[in-house]
Amino acid sequence: MSATIALVDDDRNILTSVSIAMQAEGYVTRLYPDGESALKAILENPADLGIFDIKMPRMDGLELLRRLREKSDMPVIFLTSKDEELDEALGLAMGADDYITKPFSQRLLIARVKAILRRATYDRPLANGEPTEEPEPMVRGRLEMDPARHHVKWDGKSVTLTVTEFMILEALANRPGVVRTRDQLMDAAYQDDVYVDDRTIDSHIKRLRRKFREADPDFSAIDTLYGAGYRFADS
């Protein structure tokens, strides 16, 4: 089944051109001229990925993402202008999965979409006509992670994570007790040409802790090593 992409931008030319490019790749697109109309539609009929402009009337992209994250972990790519670096950092800290600066090439955008959908669904390519082997579920103490299905449990209770949060947690849990620097966590969660600052990784860690504490108020498996980074330390 083709993935559905929600395109949200007040520039009709961008909506049209991006929609044509996505449809040419086999995706289904839904177009919205502002965040307000998009929020209602996406919550009623979820998409697989969103591409949001930041600066829009009737609810901008940041507010759309904030309100969407209350009920949905749909991956989101932001379209930004060169003078919106602060908004880019804020958007990533709030849970966006990537951003692309305008003007951008359709080829680059398509590559980012494919990468994020692949991470979100683990829709792996075929090898010699046969599906490649799915990654094995991982158990670390009370933590269970199933990368093939993007499922996470703590003490048997489901914890819903965004793609970026999942990738950061996976990088930490892969080697319990080993300190991961912020740079290493950035490499695990973002493509090489996406720059995020230390505060963005810190924000993701805070959200991870908050989500796990909703399942277990005593959760303390992610340690902060000041000046060094983070580690997964559940026994």
Side-chain angles (χ1 to χ4, degrees), residues 93-109:
M94 290 169 60
D97 294 270
D98 208 341
Y99 71 87
I100 293 180
T101 302
K102 299 176 182 178
F104 56 87
S105 73
Q106 302 288 6
R107 184 176 179 181
L108 172 61
L109 179 57

Side-chain angles (χ1 to χ4, degrees), residues 63-74:
E63 179 63 12
L64 172 59
L65 176 64
R66 186 189 69 78
R67 295 179 63 174
L68 191 64
R69 281 289 173 260
E70 295 174 357
K71 298 182 179 180
S72 170
D73 291 302
M74 178 186 76

Side-chain angles (χ1 to χ4, degrees), residues 6 18 32 55 64 81 110 131 134 150 158 177 182 208 216 223 226:
V18 172
Y32 308 100
K55 300 297 185 184
L64 172 59
S81 300
I110 290 167
E134 289 186 349
H150 196 74
S158 294
R182 290 174 176 83
L208 277 168
D216 175 10
D223 289 341
Y226 292 100

Side-chain angles (χ1 to χ4, degrees), residues 27-73:
Y27 299 119
V28 176
T29 57
R30 300 178 191 150
L31 281 55
Y32 308 100
D34 58 75
E36 188 174 294
S37 60
L39 178 65
K40 184 176 185 296
I42 292 170
L43 292 179
E44 290 178 352
N45 191 11
D48 296 293
L49 181 142
I51 300 175
F52 300 167
D53 187 26
I54 287 185
K55 300 297 185 184
M56 295 184 293
R58 297 183 62 201
M59 190 183 301
D60 65 19
L62 293 173
E63 179 63 12
L64 172 59
L65 176 64
R66 186 189 69 78
R67 295 179 63 174
L68 191 64
R69 281 289 173 260
E70 295 174 357
K71 298 182 179 180
S72 170
D73 291 302

Side-chain angles (χ1 to χ4, degrees), residues 168 172 185 201-209 222 230:
I168 290 174
L172 290 169
L185 294 178
I201 296 299
D202 293 344
S203 295
H204 285 307
I205 294 292
K206 288 179 182 178
R207 280 204 316 279
L208 277 168
R209 286 171 172 157
I222 299 177
Y230 298 96

Side-chain angles (χ1 to χ4, degrees), residues 185-235:
L185 294 178
M186 290 177 197
D187 290 341
Y190 296 99
Q191 298 180 36
D192 291 341
D193 56 350
V194 176
Y195 171 78
V196 296
D197 62 20
D198 290 353
R199 292 175 298 174
T200 300
I201 296 299
D202 293 344
S203 295
H204 285 307
I205 294 292
K206 288 179 182 178
R207 280 204 316 279
L208 277 168
R209 286 171 172 157
R210 184 181 71 244
K211 288 183 176 183
F212 277 93
R213 284 170 183 161
E214 291 174 357
D216 175 10
D218 296 323
F219 175 83
S220 60
I222 299 177
D223 289 341
T224 301
L225 284 301
Y226 292 100
Y230 298 96
R231 70 182 174 193
F232 183 82
D234 187 53
S235 58

Side-chain angles (χ1 to χ4, degrees), residues 142-155:
R142 289 167 286 177
L143 174 69
E144 300 173 49
M145 299 187 73
D146 186 346
R149 293 160 184 81
H150 196 74
H151 289 171
V152 178
K153 289 185 178 180
W154 180 262
D155 275 343

